[in-house]
Amino acid sequence: MTDLWWKSSVVYQIYPRSFADADGDGMGDLRGVIDHLDHLAELGVDVLWLSPIYRSPQDDNGYDISDYQDIDPLFGDLATFDELLAGTHRRGMKLIMDLVVNHSSDEHPWFVASRSGKDNPKRDWYWWRPAREGMEPGAPGAEPTNWGSAFGGPAWTYDKETGEYYLHLFSPKQPDLNWENPEVREAVYAMMRWWLDRGVDGFRMDVINMISKVLPLADGRLTAGAAYGDGSSSYINGPRNHEFLREMHDQVFAGRPGMLTVGEMPGVTVDGAIKFTDQDRHEVDMVFQFDHVWADRGADPWQLIPLRLTALKGIFGRWQAGLAQVGWNSLYWNNHDQPRVVSRYGDDSPEHRVAAAKMLGTVLHLHRGTPYIYQGEELGMTNYPFRTIADFRDIEALGQYHQATVQEGRSPEEVLTVLRARGRDNARTPMQWDDSPHAGFTRGEPWLAVNPNYREINAKAERADPGSVFHHYRKLIELRHEEPAVVDGDFTMLLPHDERLYAFTRKFQTTELLVIGNFTGETVRAEIEDAIAWEEAELVLTNVAEPTGLTLQPWQAVVYRRSM
Ligand code: GLC
């Protein structure tokens, strides 16, 4: 078996504000997580990843941090955090923190100092630039570059006090830290060591392939109809990215074996990921790539492209092959930024939801890599029926809606259609614990409405039902823990041109697994080599009451095992 423990692990992501509210203020908190640790232990996950709980003005729900070494009072305090960490460890699980260091909050003392004057010693901790050559500072279009920010509007904000602009790839309350400055890097590493000394087991690193920028900062390509240029080639996978992560590894993780690091990297390539995750290079253990969650996205961001299963298979196939020898994949359908997968790539109708959720989980978890489960995914939670823009709370949805409808002249209905399908708030509605008011999430008013389907879809009902999505996920995790072929087996994609079935094998020593998922509501025969022989093999896992061999029922998944 493998020496790297996280290869046989499953990680569970908690979005604390939506997980469980113990104090009744409508917002999830650390006590709420402590209260539900047994749910996670029963599911069998190995690692918990906590989305940010640090002190924060909550402009982007905590991804804007004003004190990296304290807990936001919304969530609790350091003593409660220590209790959570101890409770997690006592149950044999590990805990990793979210590390958000591409940017801080504008209310962080570092930025407050930086903004206070051009001569302040922290001025160069952020990206300050004068107005565009020959333009009046603060005038429309005078920003140092033409980049748009991720949440709508320009990526630069003018600061009257000193007459310069600061860079923020996300909201104006999330100024980018200047990683070129060694003092910034040292401060970040010291903070990381402080958390590791406290006992945490690693970090999930927010947009960590944006920390290195191409100098000098320059205009991006402007497409017709767009309000801003696309600056991404100046800040995605920048020239010093590998160097910075290697330095971080040496300064923070050297001499501390057994940690887990995963870098969130929008726009990372397979070749880049091989380098980032090559254990000999000492950068990170795995990365989150985005290709498979962008498979339903066209060139026009406000268009919905129906999923082509062959495209999805092409993407996964490429990543599986690319990282087969060196490096390691992370596997995810969902997180706090993505819509619910059963609604997105499956079928969330009452007829098919349970089968589709199980099938999607099966296909994902049987790939080679470390699977991540996002809270509620183990229940088959669905997208929320948003009606108007007033139902959204997410800064991204609101900002992009404004830019698209006001600045770019799109029709509100066109934009809303996409936000309903893709908006991040789909993932952020409260966790559905039981069928009591607000799904048992809070005794107060939840900060974001609970999905009205909580009476049917909730943890209490699913834990009691052996046929539930919850128990299927539990079995998937168990299978990874028990079957070395799931962890270490070679991956071979089958039926690459089939638009209905997702099929592959995993081979390890004398064991071979066959995995097939039916991505349709119809019955489909899997025309694979050796079909009859496979039907005689051991059926390890499926999601229908009466399996019919390799003739797959709607949204059915099968996992067969045989010895070679
Ligand atoms: C990451 C986070 C997302 C956040 C952004 C800025 O993509 O996952 O939630 O808004 O970075 O920190």
Side-chain angles (χ1 to χ4, degrees):
M1 267 299 268
T2 170
D3 52 333
L4 296 167
W5 62 271
W6 35 259
K7 290 193 172 180
S8 56
S9 295
V10 177
V11 184
Y12 186 97
Q13 183 191 354
I14 295 175
Y15 194 64
R17 70 162 44 216
S18 302
F19 191 65
D21 172 23
D23 66 8
D25 65 355
M27 182 84 70
D29 45 41
L30 294 182
R31 178 66 54 198
V33 179
I34 293 173
D35 291 345
H36 289 89
L37 282 175
D38 287 333
H39 171 85
L40 306 171
E42 190 185 334
L43 184 59
V45 295
D46 305 279
V47 184
L48 307 183
W49 147 28
L50 280 188
S51 273
I53 50 170
Y54 314 93
R55 256 186 206 273
S56 159
Q58 303 291 325
D59 186 53
D60 183 19
N61 294 357
Y63 282 88
D64 50 314
I65 297 166
S66 55
D67 184 346
Y68 289 100
Q69 289 174 220
D70 201 0
I71 306 294
D72 197 277
L74 276 176
F75 299 122
D77 53 24
L78 281 166
T80 318
F81 175 82
D82 290 339
E83 201 183 319
L84 167 59
L85 185 59
T88 304
H89 286 160
R90 208 165 44 240
R91 288 169 178 82
M93 298 183 287
K94 297 180 191 278
L95 188 141
I96 65 171
M97 303 289 279
D98 219 306
L99 180 79
V100 189
V101 290
N102 172 68
H103 44 268
S104 71
S105 164
D106 67 334
E107 296 180 37
H108 193 292
W110 296 342
F111 188 76
V112 174
S114 182
R115 141 183 260 172
S116 69
K118 285 187 181 171
D119 298 331
N120 187 279
K122 293 226 161 45
R123 184 65 168 182
D124 185 48
W125 281 42
Y126 294 84
W127 295 92
W128 291 97
R129 289 288 184 278
R132 187 178 287 272
E133 186 89 47
M135 301 231 6
E136 181 66 25
E143 289 83 12
T145 69
N146 66 355
W147 307 348
S149 78
F151 300 154
W156 296 93
T157 288
Y158 180 59
D159 187 60
K160 278 202 203 79
E161 299 298 310
T162 54
E164 289 190 328
Y165 293 79
Y166 65 89
L167 175 68
H168 52 87
L169 297 179
F170 295 89
S171 107
K173 291 188 67 62
Q174 293 167 298
D176 279 53
L177 280 158
N178 176 13
W179 276 70
E180 297 292 324
N181 185 330
E183 288 174 24
V184 168
R185 307 203 298 271
E186 276 157 30
V188 168
Y189 305 152
M191 173 273 284
M192 293 172 74
R193 287 191 294 262
W194 185 87
W195 281 104
L196 294 180
D197 290 344
R198 218 173 176 97
V200 310
D201 302 292
F203 296 95
R204 172 268 185 189
M205 303 173 181
D206 195 66
V207 291
I208 204 70
N209 66 333
M210 299 196 186
I211 56 178
S212 162
K213 275 82 173 166
V214 178
L215 299 173
L217 307 182
D219 279 345
R221 203 162 50 89
L222 193 61
T223 47
Y228 302 99
D230 171 11
S232 59
S233 60
S234 293
Y235 53 77
I236 298 271
N237 308 323
R240 299 185 70 188
N241 213 161
H242 291 287
E243 175 197 335
F244 291 158
L245 286 178
R246 168 69 190 244
E247 180 185 79
M248 175 193 284
H249 189 280
D250 291 347
Q251 296 291 320
V252 178
F253 299 106
R256 299 185 198 247
M259 299 291 113
L260 166 62
T261 55
V262 49
E264 185 207 24
M265 301 197 178
V268 69
T269 62
V270 173
D271 288 340
I274 292 172
K275 285 192 179 167
F276 282 119
T277 66
D278 176 351
Q279 285 291 314
D280 292 337
R281 291 175 55 98
H282 305 287
E283 297 180 19
V284 293
D285 294 324
M286 56 190 110
V287 305
F288 290 132
Q289 56 85 17
F290 282 65
D291 295 344
H292 66 301
V293 292
W294 288 344
D296 59 0
R297 210 167 80 156
D300 178 348
W302 298 111
Q303 231 185 353
L304 284 176
I305 310 275
L307 175 72
R308 276 181 45 238
L309 189 61
T310 48
L312 190 68
K313 288 191 275 193
I315 291 165
F316 273 111
R318 214 157 39 75
W319 279 91
Q320 291 285 302
L323 274 64
Q325 304 305 326
V326 174
W328 191 248
N329 271 297
S330 67
L331 308 168
Y332 73 96
W333 286 132
N334 275 119
N335 58 43
H336 64 294
D337 297 329
Q338 300 296 331
R340 294 285 180 179
V341 70
V342 70
S343 304
R344 182 186 216 173
Y345 292 160
D347 181 340
D348 62 8
S349 69
E351 190 189 352
H352 293 308
R353 182 189 63 85
V354 171
K358 291 177 183 174
M359 185 281 291
L360 287 162
T362 307
V363 166
L364 186 79
H365 280 236
L366 273 290
H367 279 79
R368 191 160 186 275
T370 298
Y372 287 71
I373 300 172
Y374 176 69
Q375 67 184 43
E377 181 183 340
E378 81 280 25
L379 309 177
M381 276 177 62
T382 66
N383 279 356
Y384 181 88
F386 295 101
R387 288 179 309 266
T388 71
I389 190 67
D391 291 339
F392 291 87
R393 295 287 171 277
D394 175 22
I395 183 171
E396 178 182 86
L398 302 175
Q400 292 185 350
Y401 179 84
H402 180 83
Q403 181 177 313
T405 58
V406 177
Q407 289 179 268
E408 295 170 353
R410 306 251 183 181
S411 86
E413 206 33 54
E414 172 190 18
V415 175
L416 268 175
T417 302
V418 175
L419 288 179
R420 286 187 192 110
R422 300 255 180 76
R424 307 195 298 183
D425 279 340
N426 282 303
R428 300 176 179 187
T429 62
M431 180 73 175
Q432 295 166 205
W433 291 107
D434 58 37
D435 63 2
S436 70
H438 302 310
F441 164 71
T442 179
R443 52 177 194 277
E445 261 313 299
W447 72 274
L448 181 66
V450 172
N451 195 308
N453 61 21
Y454 72 92
R455 285 191 196 80
E456 294 80 56
I457 306 172
N458 65 68
K460 188 174 173 207
E462 297 206 21
R463 280 204 307 266
D465 171 7
S468 64
V469 180
F470 176 85
H471 284 289
H472 191 85
Y473 266 77
R474 193 178 54 68
K475 287 180 207 158
L476 286 170
I477 298 166
E478 217 170 71
L479 187 57
R480 171 165 294 264
H481 290 159
E482 285 167 4
E483 175 53 71
V486 175
V487 179
D488 286 320
D490 292 341
F491 178 97
T492 306
M493 190 73 82
L494 307 178
L495 308 176
H497 306 298
D498 192 307
E499 287 295 352
R500 300 177 299 173
L501 298 180
Y502 196 124
F504 56 89
T505 59
R506 303 289 311 281
K507 270 188 214 142
F508 183 68
Q509 295 172 353
T510 56
T511 304
E512 187 175 18
L513 304 175
L514 169 68
V515 182
I516 311 183
N518 182 356
F519 271 68
T520 77
E522 273 125 55
T523 299
V524 186
R525 174 76 191 165
E527 303 290 353
I528 59 164
E529 217 178 287
D530 252 10
I532 305 288
W534 271 116
E535 286 180 311
E536 306 281 291
E538 178 198 0
L539 181 59
V540 184
L541 194 64
T542 187
N543 57 345
V544 300
E546 287 167 35
T548 38
L550 291 192
T551 303
L552 275 82
Q553 298 166 40
W555 299 102
Q556 190 186 348
V558 292
V559 182
Y560 281 97
R561 173 166 48 200
R562 71 180 179 189
S563 295
M564 298 181 288

